[in-house]
Amino acid sequence: SDVDQTPKWEQDRVEFVNQLENDEVHRWIHAICAQAICEVAYQLRSLSTLISQREMRASLEVLARAIFERMGQVNWILDDKIPSRTRAIRASLAYTVSLYHYRATLALMGSSPDLKSALRAERMRVKTQLNSWFDIGGDGNGERPNVFVDGDDLAAWSIDGV
């Protein structure tokens, strides 16, 4: 048959190796999805414990919605009908938006300066990484085709319309 039987994940890996000469982006997509799935597993276990101990009263729908949203995010990233680059952009933006909200929530809760510094450093690492992978920095003339960058607010970024 003429149909390529190579799994989509392997096609992605080969495409990124050809474009960037390494499989770092491919591993990044896997890490983002694995982290989200692990978080959902912990949330489900916690929810199960609360329900079984009859300690759940009025927050079931909020917690369940968070679980469904996270799994929807993974499904959005893993959509095999989109190009590899778009999948990588979706994973990166999903992570940066989560990081942005995590940091904002911890700030409201009065988290330690060390944790805030660590999150700030992670944000800068991701920003640099995105810039190197997707040419967010543009062509050196201030032109950034297909990229909308709203300063340091990574939650407001758009790359290739994503």
Side-chain angles (χ1 to χ4, degrees), residues 31-64:
I32 297 297
C33 291
Q35 177 67 36
I37 292 168
C38 285
E39 287 176 12
V40 165
Y42 284 123
Q43 290 167 346
L44 285 170
R45 186 168 38 169
S46 298
L47 192 58
S48 173
T49 300
L50 288 169
I51 290 170
S52 69
Q53 298 296 317
R54 300 186 188 276
E55 295 295 331
M56 181 64 63
R57 299 292 185 270
S59 57
L60 178 61
E61 70 280 358
V62 174
L63 296 172

Side-chain angles (χ1 to χ4, degrees), residues 115-147:
L115 182 55
K116 289 180 191 177
S117 294
L119 290 171
R120 186 176 304 113
E122 175 68 358
R123 184 184 71 179
M124 295 311 295
R125 185 190 70 78
V126 170
K127 187 176 177 181
T128 301
Q129 179 175 286
L130 288 171
N131 190 27
S132 70
W133 289 345
F134 305 119
D135 194 28
I136 293 170
D139 63 4
N141 297 320
E143 295 295 319
R144 292 183 173 147
N146 303 321
V147 177

Side-chain angles (χ1 to χ4, degrees), residues 83-124:
S84 302
R85 176 181 165 88
T86 302
R87 194 174 358 278
I89 290 169
R90 283 181 176 186
S92 300
L93 292 177
Y95 177 72
T96 57
V97 169
S98 293
L99 183 63
Y100 172 81
H101 289 295
Y102 180 54
R103 186 170 181 257
T105 301
L106 289 178
L108 290 172
M109 296 171 64
S111 64
S112 73
D114 291 344
L115 182 55
K116 289 180 191 177
S117 294
L119 290 171
R120 186 176 304 113
E122 175 68 358
R123 184 184 71 179
M124 295 311 295

Side-chain angles (χ1 to χ4, degrees), residues 14-26:
V14 169
E15 185 173 329
F16 291 126
V17 167
N18 289 338
Q19 289 176 8
L20 302 171
E21 299 179 355
N22 66 56
D23 69 347
E24 194 174 61
V25 177
H26 178 71

